[in-house]
Amino acid sequence: MLAMPALRTVPARVVARQTLRKSTTRAASSSSSSTEATSSPFYTTLTASAATVVAIGSVAWYYHLYGREAFAMTPQEEGLHPTQYPWEHYRWVKTFDHQALRRGFQVYREVCSSCHSLKRIPYRSLVGTIATVDEMKALAEENEYDTEPNDEGEIEKRPGKLSDYIPSPYKNDEAARAANNGALPPDLSLMVKARHGGCNYIFSLLTGYPEEPPAGATVQSGLNFNPYFPGTGIAMARVLYDGLVEYEDGTPATASQMAKDVVEFLNWAAEPEMDNRKKMGMKVLTIGALLFALSVWVKRYKWSTVKTRQLVYNPPVGPKR
Amino acid sequence: MAGIASGLFNSIFRRNYVFLSTVFLGAFAFEIAFDTTTDAIWNRINKGRQWKDIKHRYVQKPSEDEDDDDE
């Protein structure tokens, strides 16, 4: 529209020339761009491919040098990986089997407690999970504990109370080492959490002592062969033999039964909150699922107007040319 | 629908104290109902595994035996 008056003043010849020039330049430019179009993909593809190869190559080289796990240990030093057992209490909505915990506590008391402490477990925490108040009071009273200093500053002995912790077999670590060939029997309170493989490892360890070390294995004197223990030489000898304890509930006390029970008990000792944690988890997931479903519904509800509306553009009707 | 909405409005939302009490009471009621059902489900899944299921074998007093109606 604006160009119209200008054009009208210009002679027709000039207009024709201009259009001609315009068309030639357009042709030239289009031809040059088409040569670019054919030549540029070659270089860009090459550069991009080279860059990609270099990038992947350097990542691979770096990973090869520094990325992999360094296995400095021989398989023997690593120890045999424990078997995965189908622990019932490992499942999402299963509590500990408290009858098994009770048996496990009996095994701990009759076998392990002569060497291993269980420092973090007070008698009171066993009440209502493993034993009754009366049983635990009686058990606590069997042991003596230090009193507060009296008027003369003397520390006397008193019978144990529910709030006392399970006594350790040795006065201190040095005494424990001295009694065990220099090896310290570790505290078992958190043992299940402290070892890779957890329950599986300890169960395998307790039941994994062979009759005699395999041919070619060297076992230091004072150590015992156990393939599951890293290094295979462990200062703890085999402790569980069939019929070692007599279960009050009549369960046959095979070595593997005792190992299973004591391991479950040690798992309880390490995670006494597990039953409640799982129950709470179940509730949280239920409520969470409900709220999630609700929020999805609200979102769809709120967006339904936006999603179903139709935008129609009616261009203004201009004069006909 | 409109009847329900206006009924809801008149009975609950019109007065703020009614609305607020409904919220609080509803929260309590829901919590109680939810906990009761989930606990029941939990105890069913873990029947025989929890202390309360085996307690009666070790508690001496007969009075404590009665309130354990699981078996």
Side-chain angles (χ1 to χ4, degrees):
Chain A
M1 286 287 262
L2 278 173
M4 285 294 265
L7 264 179
R8 236 177 257 135
T9 56
V10 182
R13 232 178 337 123
V14 184
V15 176
R17 207 186 292 144
Q18 273 182 339
T19 31
L20 191 69
R21 207 198 292 138
K22 216 179 259 166
S23 67
T24 50
T25 49
R26 196 189 292 137
S29 73
S30 75
S31 76
S32 79
S33 76
S34 76
T35 50
E36 265 171 34
T38 48
S39 66
S40 65
F42 174 67
Y43 291 111
T44 44
T45 313
L46 193 68
T47 337
S49 317
T52 312
V53 168
V54 169
I56 293 177
S58 51
V59 167
W61 171 76
Y62 191 86
Y63 178 77
H64 173 76
L65 271 189
Y66 308 111
R68 293 178 302 174
E69 242 177 274
F71 284 111
M73 294 205 287
T74 60
Q76 189 203 14
E77 287 165 332
E78 186 84 16
L80 194 57
H81 288 186
T83 316
Q84 303 288 317
Y85 293 101
W87 297 96
E88 193 70 5
H89 73 267
Y90 267 20
R91 295 171 53 187
W92 273 41
V93 290
K94 287 285 182 169
T95 63
F96 289 117
D97 179 356
H98 286 247
Q99 189 74 53
L101 294 186
R102 209 178 146 91
R103 291 193 299 266
F105 181 52
Q106 187 184 351
V107 175
Y108 168 76
R109 250 184 320 146
E110 292 183 15
V111 186
C112 320
S113 70
S114 56
C115 300
H116 289 279
S117 57
L118 200 62
K119 281 187 198 144
R120 289 166 188 272
I121 308 299
Y123 292 107
R124 62 181 155 78
S125 71
L126 295 146
V127 173
T129 45
I130 290 179
T132 63
V133 188
D134 299 337
E135 286 171 324
M136 278 306 107
K137 272 188 179 159
L139 198 65
E141 279 163 12
E142 287 174 14
N143 299 290
E144 290 195 322
Y145 289 83
D146 287 349
T147 55
E148 294 284 297
N150 63 13
D151 291 345
E152 275 94 56
E154 302 299 327
I155 291 173
E156 290 166 355
K157 293 288 180 189
R158 60 162 173 80
K161 300 184 283 194
L162 283 181
S163 56
D164 286 315
Y165 285 75
I166 289 179
S168 308
Y170 303 105
K171 283 200 296 285
N172 46 49
D173 285 1
E174 284 69 21
R177 282 181 206 279
N180 286 286
N181 268 326
L184 174 72
D187 185 83
L188 292 183
S189 314
L190 295 168
M191 188 47 80
V192 169
K193 277 179 169 173
R195 292 292 180 274
H196 288 292
C199 290
N200 291 318
Y201 168 70
I202 300 177
F203 181 87
S204 299
L205 186 80
L206 291 174
T207 55
Y209 289 90
E211 290 293 322
E212 52 190 51
T218 49
V219 186
Q220 272 184 48
S221 74
L223 294 189
N224 307 273
F225 182 85
N226 190 316
Y228 296 99
F229 188 69
T232 68
I234 182 168
M236 172 170 73
R238 179 176 172 183
V239 285
L240 294 178
Y241 294 91
D242 288 355
L244 188 61
V245 305
E246 197 175 324
Y247 282 135
E248 57 180 8
D249 60 3
T251 308
T254 59
S256 63
Q257 177 72 44
M258 286 184 287
K260 176 202 157 276
D261 291 340
V262 79
V263 164
E264 189 159 344
F265 168 72
L266 291 179
N267 198 159
W268 171 83
E271 295 178 286
E273 84 293 350
M274 190 195 81
D275 290 359
N276 267 330
R277 170 159 53 79
K278 283 185 179 168
K279 187 156 122 183
M280 215 54 199
M282 184 183 80
K283 293 184 180 185
V284 166
L285 290 182
T286 311
I287 293 280
L290 285 178
L291 290 182
F292 178 70
L294 194 67
S295 71
V296 168
W297 178 80
V298 167
K299 183 260 166 190
R300 289 171 67 98
Y301 176 71
K302 293 283 181 195
W303 276 75
S304 61
T305 45
V306 180
K307 293 244 179 176
T308 54
R309 83 180 159 194
Q310 196 177 11
L311 293 183
V312 180
Y313 176 61
N314 285 324
V317 187
K320 272 204 178 117
R321 297 230 197 131
Chain B
M1 194 62 203
I4 299 173
S6 66
L8 265 184
F9 177 79
N10 282 328
S11 58
I12 296 174
F13 296 104
R14 186 187 284 282
R15 286 166 293 271
N16 191 46
Y17 72 90
V18 179
F19 178 46
L20 213 61
S21 330
T22 312
V23 168
F24 276 78
L25 289 178
F28 276 108
F30 176 78
E31 173 115 31
I32 291 169
F34 182 77
D35 275 350
T36 317
T37 26
T38 44
D39 283 351
I41 294 171
W42 181 260
N43 291 338
R44 206 222 279 312
I45 295 174
N46 290 293
K47 194 169 172 58
R49 296 176 71 79
Q50 303 184 82
W51 171 248
K52 59 165 162 263
D53 301 335
I54 59 168
K55 180 180 168 189
H56 62 93
R57 295 179 198 164
Y58 306 106
V59 173
Q60 249 85 69
K61 281 167 269 163
S63 63
E64 298 240 17
D65 262 332
E66 248 87 89
D67 59 24
D68 200 285
D69 49 3
D70 273 21
E71 267 133 333

